[in-house]
Amino acid sequence: MSAPRGDGVASTADPAAHAHVRAYARVRRGRFGTPLPTALAIALGAVLLRVIGGVGFANYDTLYALVWGKQLAHGHTPQYGIPFAPTPHPLVEALGFVLSPLSPRAIEDVTVALAFLALSACAWAVYRLGALWFNHPAGIAAALLLITRVPILSYGVRAYVDIPYLLLILGALIVETRRRRAGAPVLALLALAGLLRPEAWVFSGLYWLYLALTGRVPMHVFGGEGVAEPLPPRRLVSLALIVVSAPVVWVASDWLITGDALWSLTNTRHTALALGRETGIAKIPQYIPRRIGEILGAATLAGATIGGTLALWWMRGRALLGAAAGVLAVLVFAAFATAGLPINTRYAFVPAAILCIFCGAALCGWLLLDRADPRRRWWMALASLVVLALLATAPSQYRTNDHELQALARQQRIQNDLVALVDDGSISSRCEPVGVPNHAPIPLLALWLDSDPATVVSAQQRTLTRGTYVAPATAEVRRDYILDRSERGHPVSVPADFAATRANGSWLVFRRCRP
């Protein structure tokens, strides 16, 4: 057999090599399997994640988007200007619009179910990319690494928009891997992602520029030839319309609702400043690597470094797309931080997912090398070190995951107790406004009361003279159920002349329905 090429696959000079190339082409083009088994596997994974995790609820940002979607469905203008309201996400608001005929419980249940499906699908997408770029064992290892990272799991079970955003970006990478310069399908996925996070606008624009400069080259495998064909101007224009669709929808939405086309940008900057979030170009060298490290942990990050180095050195053809996507994701993250957006951990999910794939390559990429290849032994030795490092940190990873899930279970119990007071009528729209000790309960109560968010008031912003006031029943609730740590420094008390009417394990209800 001829010597392996730089991409780790033998030359196509003999029949055995031709068979190997054809097998790889089938993997690249997705000719094995059908959508139904994939869908069933993702659904089963979502159920397992829900059962094993034991927790699942909608977070503050998502609840606000659902409430705004309901307001649109009822013909009301969404109230973006409420203090500490999150950045609007048009795609989640569209979900709230579609789900608006359902009961509040059904709306939240459907949202959480979709969140678990997205979380499970992200694991599948990472597996798929690992299998396409390297091999199936690398994909399996990458998926396991991703789904056990604490921030990924934590944000997934709380239905943050960043998980479906990650899924759409990974989906675009899968399409592009299977058919290079695929064009419209990639841009369509990026457009949907651009209705969740604006970083996707940059990815879309750069991908369109790539298509415009390179034309469309039919996919070839290793030794095959392809002839560049420039894309016709009409085709480029139609693709450009897909590129601009997401920013146009977002900007038009901001302008129609607030009168300010740049509301999302300015409000996000203001909220980041008010909450003391890290942002700005000076913080990039320190905090972006820290955020990625917070997601992956030292062992996975080291494995990704080894895998990325070996793959780019010895299998460049396989690794180049993933490496380029990862670098681009970091650069876009840094650019948005420079523009004043916060350097949050969840904004680093895309590069972290790609690094999980390269860690999978560090563990299993040596299987692509011929048995007689001396590089194989070196790779196996380094893979053994990565395995040892991952095994050494596994107990700590398990404890961290368990601690996070327990904390989230406490938060869900607190929210359930609050919802129970709405269900039994102790908190109702008949005695408004409803006062709460901080901003955290506002969108949850607005959703369950089917009220405007402005009718739920943080006592840190205004003291009530009538209505309903909901106070924490325990120090744990007072300490843990908050929007931001800064709110712990602003103690509030029950308004004067409000009488206690109801209590449960987490909350006390006081009312004064008439002045």
Side-chain angles (χ1 to χ4, degrees), residues 26-50:
R26 285 195 297 273
V27 173
R28 287 285 298 270
R29 295 181 181 126
R31 290 179 178 171
F32 62 95
T34 61
L36 181 58
T38 297
L40 291 175
I42 291 172
L44 178 60
V47 172
L48 289 175
L49 286 169
R50 181 64 180 89

Side-chain angles (χ1 to χ4, degrees), residues 1 14-21:
M1 183 177 288
D14 60 88
H18 275 294
H20 188 78
V21 169

Side-chain angles (χ1 to χ4, degrees), residues 285-327:
Q286 177 183 0
Y287 282 96
I288 287 185
R290 180 183 294 183
R291 297 298 183 248
I292 295 174
E294 288 172 358
I295 299 169
L296 297 179
T300 304
L301 192 57
T305 303
I306 292 171
T309 301
L310 293 176
L312 287 170
W313 190 7
W314 290 336
M315 300 179 179
R316 184 171 301 171
R318 291 176 176 272
L320 200 55
L321 177 59
V327 170

